[in-house]
Amino acid sequence: MLDELAHAVPLALLFALPVAAVGGVLLHVMRRRSIAAAMVTLGLVPLAAALGGVVGVSGFMYTPQLVGTIAVCGVVGVVTVPVAWWLGRRFAREALWQREADAAELDAVRHAEAARRELVAWMSHDLRSPLAGIRGMTDALTDGIVSEPADVADYLARIRRESDRMAGMVEDLFQLSRATSAALHLCLVPLALGEVVSDAVAAEGPAAAAAGVEIVADSPQDWPVVRGSDSELTRTVRNLLANAVRHTPAGGRIELTAGLRGDHAWLRVQDGCGGIAEEDLPRVFAVGFRGGTARTPGEGPGAGLGLAIARAFAEAHGGTIGVRNRAPGCVFELALPRASVRA
């Protein structure tokens, strides 16, 4: 027995090792082309090496043992090849999915970083401008350069306006941070959508009147009941209204409508902005995005984050928010889960 093993082992190695070496090279080539082909090769190489060793040990002579070994290797190969091919295709799909997921995540991180840098640059500009104005007017008052009562009152009023504008920017940053925080938890209760909108219209009414813009709501008493948090939902609607007022020219009109679609309620804000460029529509709710490149201190209060805050609060409610062009401007549509009870 030992003599037979001593004779068989060298012959088996002599014939199996070259087959294994060729299989290794073939596996390296296949790995670069197809995962499925590489898996099939990986399954066949051991079989081929084992078959080569058996043939070498048999001395290339026909024996019943050789026929049995070839038959077993053939059956194993018939089973191994389809399984290896299926596993290879599965691994390839998972690898492709993972690669696409990693690429999407990296792309999202890059966009978020770009938005952060853009936001920081814009905020730096917006805060620096009113601060410079406040400092200049304060120096003028302190040094006595401005001493007439009317001029002093005008300077103080301008300082107050600039202070309010900076306070609005800081408040927007706080609300954005809160709305996008993973720790945000809203207490959702049934709310009459008409009442929420009425509160928002009352809050934004003075700004609309000053801008010469009319806000019209279509039968708000008949609007559906939604599940929401009063303060956050009111803030969302106010931001949509403030954006509409800001971009609707004097003499224009903002129309508010609402209804039901399945298990969701919708609220539409139609403004008269003249439309948004198609390439800008996907970016309207992005943090730090503004359609125009010019930014001046006279753009009004806030940090230009209203739509980003509105989207974050809408998603925190389990809803969505979108925009599309429709003459004479565009329509912002807020969708929210409807309440299970009626108010």
Side-chain angles (χ1 to χ4, degrees):
M1 184 66 178
L2 293 177
D3 292 339
E4 292 179 357
L5 287 176
H7 175 73
V9 169
L11 288 175
L13 291 174
L14 179 63
F15 285 89
L17 286 177
V19 175
V22 173
V25 174
L26 184 61
L27 179 62
H28 179 73
V29 174
M30 291 300 177
R31 182 177 60 85
R32 295 177 177 271
R33 296 186 178 181
S34 168
I35 295 179
M39 290 292 292
V40 172
T41 303
L42 183 62
L44 290 178
V45 166
L47 282 177
L51 185 60
V54 170
V55 171
V57 171
S58 69
F60 297 95
M61 296 180 63
Y62 178 82
T63 63
Q65 292 81 4
L66 177 61
V67 174
T69 302
I70 293 176
V72 171
C73 290
V75 171
V76 174
V78 169
V79 175
T80 300
V81 170
V83 173
W85 179 263
W86 176 77
L87 287 175
R89 295 293 298 271
R90 182 176 178 181
F91 291 159
R93 285 195 298 269
E94 291 180 354
L96 179 60
W97 176 86
Q98 186 62 46
R99 190 181 303 115
E100 291 176 349
D102 292 342
E105 182 178 357
L106 180 60
D107 189 56
V109 170
R110 289 175 177 172
H111 277 86
E113 179 62 20
R116 185 193 65 80
R117 289 196 300 267
E118 190 175 26
L119 175 61
V120 169
W122 284 354
M123 288 299 299
S124 298
H125 175 274
D126 281 358
L127 289 173
R128 185 167 57 247
S129 297
L131 280 173
I134 290 175
R135 181 173 181 177
M137 289 183 286
T138 303
D139 289 343
L141 292 172
T142 302
D143 296 339
I145 298 176
V146 176
S147 57
E148 294 294 329
D151 293 336
V152 171
D154 178 61
Y155 270 49
L156 291 175
R158 290 165 63 183
I159 290 173
R160 176 61 182 270
R161 288 196 299 270
E162 294 299 326
S163 300
D164 290 343
R165 199 165 73 86
M166 287 192 297
M169 296 179 194
V170 175
E171 174 65 15
D172 278 354
L173 285 175
F174 169 74
Q175 292 293 344
L176 179 64
S177 174
R178 180 170 172 267
T180 56
S181 171
L184 176 66
H185 177 72
L186 301 180
C187 181
L188 303 181
V189 298
L191 293 174
L193 188 56
E195 294 180 4
V196 173
V197 171
S198 296
D199 292 342
V201 171
E204 296 299 324
V213 176
E214 182 183 11
I215 301 178
V216 178
D218 181 19
S219 303
Q221 69 277 2
D222 299 328
W223 288 359
V225 177
V226 299
R227 285 183 53 79
S229 175
D230 191 12
S231 59
E232 286 76 16
L233 187 53
T234 302
R235 174 80 186 205
T236 301
V237 178
R238 282 192 61 182
N239 286 2
L240 293 177
L241 283 176
N243 179 76
V245 170
R246 186 178 303 114
H247 294 95
T248 298
R253 178 186 175 110
I254 298 172
E255 297 180 357
L256 301 174
T257 55
L260 291 173
R261 185 189 303 115
D263 59 350
H264 278 67
W266 53 263
L267 170 68
R268 292 173 185 158
V269 180
Q270 166 78 60
D271 62 30
C273 67
I276 301 173
E278 291 295 329
E279 62 271 16
D280 287 343
L281 283 175
R283 305 176 58 200
V284 165
F285 298 97
V287 174
F289 172 76
R290 284 192 176 180
T293 56
R295 290 178 59 83
T296 62
E299 289 180 349
L305 303 176
L307 293 181
I309 295 170
R311 181 181 65 175
F313 277 142
E315 293 175 350
H317 279 81
T320 59
I321 191 169
V323 60
R324 67 180 185 275
N325 285 321
R326 189 175 75 180
C330 55
V331 176
F332 287 82
E333 181 171 314
L334 172 65
L336 296 167
R338 62 183 298 187
S340 57
V341 296
R342 304 288 297 184

